């Protein structure tokens, strides 16, 4: 089954403790992206990647890192999480670089930083 | 500065009637627009898209209209069904190949049986 898998689905952590949210897709998609969803703010793009070793900042990259060492994986790293990074996070992948192409989203990771 | 705005946080429609969801944008460089639907506890799913060279695109019960001069797009769902109850996001992108998207804040649609 074609899918984007995020882990963990839920995470509660403390301020400053480094964490990684994993994202994996099995569709051989070149393009991957991370978003956060917050009440009243909709979805905001954090980082995106157009290919292996090619990443770029989205709208809200501060406090986040990403890496794309292999095509299927695109982990999101919070080196020193803070409470304002409490949010619902989504990973997405897209087959082509057409801006009209459908993005496939994971089920989300709900992160709470206390 | 919200470049993509969905000014109606919620909308209720009777089953069988038309649902119209609106989206306004401020950046005249946006050329590509997409609509996604999101159910609770799930990721968004793609619905329909349109580029600025068109003013209308249809897919079954879903039609997106684009008025570039007004910087406005709308999603029409006809007829509306209870299964359409979800949060709808519009998204916009400036140029091909950047894969950078700006999303609106979403409109929660409730279709009443």
């Amino acid at each position: 089954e074609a899918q984007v898998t995020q882990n963990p689905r839920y995470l509660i952590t403390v301020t400053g403790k480094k964490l990684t949210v994993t994202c994996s897709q099995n569709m051989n998609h070149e393009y991957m992206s991370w978003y956060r969803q917050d009440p009243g703010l909709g979805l905001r793009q954090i980082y995106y990647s157009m290919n292996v070793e090619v990443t770029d900042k989205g709208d809200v990259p501060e406090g986040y890192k990403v890496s794309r060492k292999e095509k299927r994986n695109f982990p999101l790293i919070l080196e020193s999480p803070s409470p304002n990074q409490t949010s619902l996070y989504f990973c997405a992948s897209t087959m082509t670089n057409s801006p009209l192409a459908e993005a496939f989203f994971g089920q989300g990771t709900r992160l709470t930083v206390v | 500065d919200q470049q993509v705005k969905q000014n109606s946080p919620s909308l209720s429609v009777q089953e069988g009637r038309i649902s119209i969801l609106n989206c306004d944008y401020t950046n005249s460089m946006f050329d590509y627009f997409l609509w996604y639907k999101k159910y609770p506890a799930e990721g968004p799913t793609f619905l329909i898209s349109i580029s600025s060279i068109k003013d209308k695109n249809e897919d079954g019960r879903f039609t997106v209209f684009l008025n570039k001069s007004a910087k406005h797009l709308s999603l029409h769902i006809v007829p509306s069904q209870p299964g359409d109850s979800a949060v709808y996001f519009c998204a916009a992108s400036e140029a091909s190949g950047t894969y950078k998207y700006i999303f609106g804040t979403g409109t929660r649609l409730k279709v009443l049986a």
Side-chain angles (χ1 to χ4, degrees):
Chain A
E1 180 191 352
Q3 59 186 2
V4 177
T5 304
Q6 295 177 227
N7 279 298
R9 293 289 310 278
Y10 302 92
L11 179 60
I12 301 174
T13 190
V14 296
T15 299
K17 186 176 180 184
K18 181 179 178 179
L19 67 92
T20 299
V21 183
T22 64
C23 174
S24 180
Q25 50 95 3
N26 63 359
M27 295 169 279
N28 202 36
H29 286 173
E30 286 189 1
Y31 297 84
M32 298 186 74
S33 187
W34 275 103
Y35 295 86
R36 60 179 287 175
Q37 183 186 4
D38 301 289
L41 296 175
L43 285 159
R44 293 181 293 167
Q45 195 173 33
I46 303 170
Y47 268 96
Y48 61 96
S49 169
M50 291 185 282
N51 213 328
V52 174
E53 303 291 4
V54 180
T55 63
D56 207 346
K57 295 176 181 178
D59 240 19
V60 288
E62 297 79 17
Y64 304 95
K65 282 175 57 176
V66 291
S67 70
R68 189 93 183 272
K69 291 185 170 43
E70 4 166 39
K71 202 172 189 179
R72 62 182 291 127
N73 295 323
F74 190 44
L76 179 70
I77 303 154
L78 285 72
E79 295 269 6
S80 183
S82 62
N84 65 11
Q85 291 178 298
T86 292
S87 187
L88 178 58
Y89 291 87
F90 290 100
C91 179
S93 72
T94 306
M95 169 65 85
T96 73
N97 70 342
S98 165
L100 296 174
E102 171 182 3
F104 292 83
F105 283 80
Q107 288 195 290
T109 295
R110 186 167 291 281
L111 172 66
T112 303
V113 183
V114 297
Chain B
D1 176 29
Q2 193 75 25
Q3 295 185 69
V4 178
K5 300 176 187 178
Q6 293 177 255
N7 291 318
S8 298
S10 63
L11 175 68
S12 291
V13 171
Q14 286 290 333
E15 182 181 5
R17 306 293 288 268
I18 184 171
S19 295
I20 300 176
L21 295 94
N22 294 306
C23 181
D24 296 291
Y25 60 96
T26 57
N27 187 344
S28 57
M29 300 298 290
F30 286 148
D31 275 332
Y32 306 98
F33 305 90
L34 303 90
W35 284 93
Y36 286 85
K37 175 170 74 174
K38 185 182 179 305
Y39 293 119
E42 295 183 13
T45 53
F46 173 80
L47 267 178
I48 194 168
S49 61
I50 189 168
S51 74
S52 60
I53 62 171
K54 299 174 92 173
D55 55 16
K56 178 181 172 182
N57 190 25
E58 280 182 87
D59 185 1
R61 295 185 298 114
F62 302 92
T63 303
V64 57
F65 294 91
L66 175 62
N67 182 334
K68 204 155 187 242
S69 61
K71 297 192 184 68
H72 176 83
L73 65 155
S74 60
L75 174 69
H76 292 211
I77 307 173
V78 183
S80 301
Q81 300 173 353
D84 296 328
S85 297
V87 177
Y88 290 78
F89 293 99
C90 63
S93 179
E94 275 192 28
S96 177
T98 64
Y99 193 47
K100 188 169 182 176
Y101 294 92
I102 305 295
F103 278 73
T105 52
T107 296
R108 183 178 302 277
L109 172 66
K110 189 170 184 180
V111 180
L112 307 167

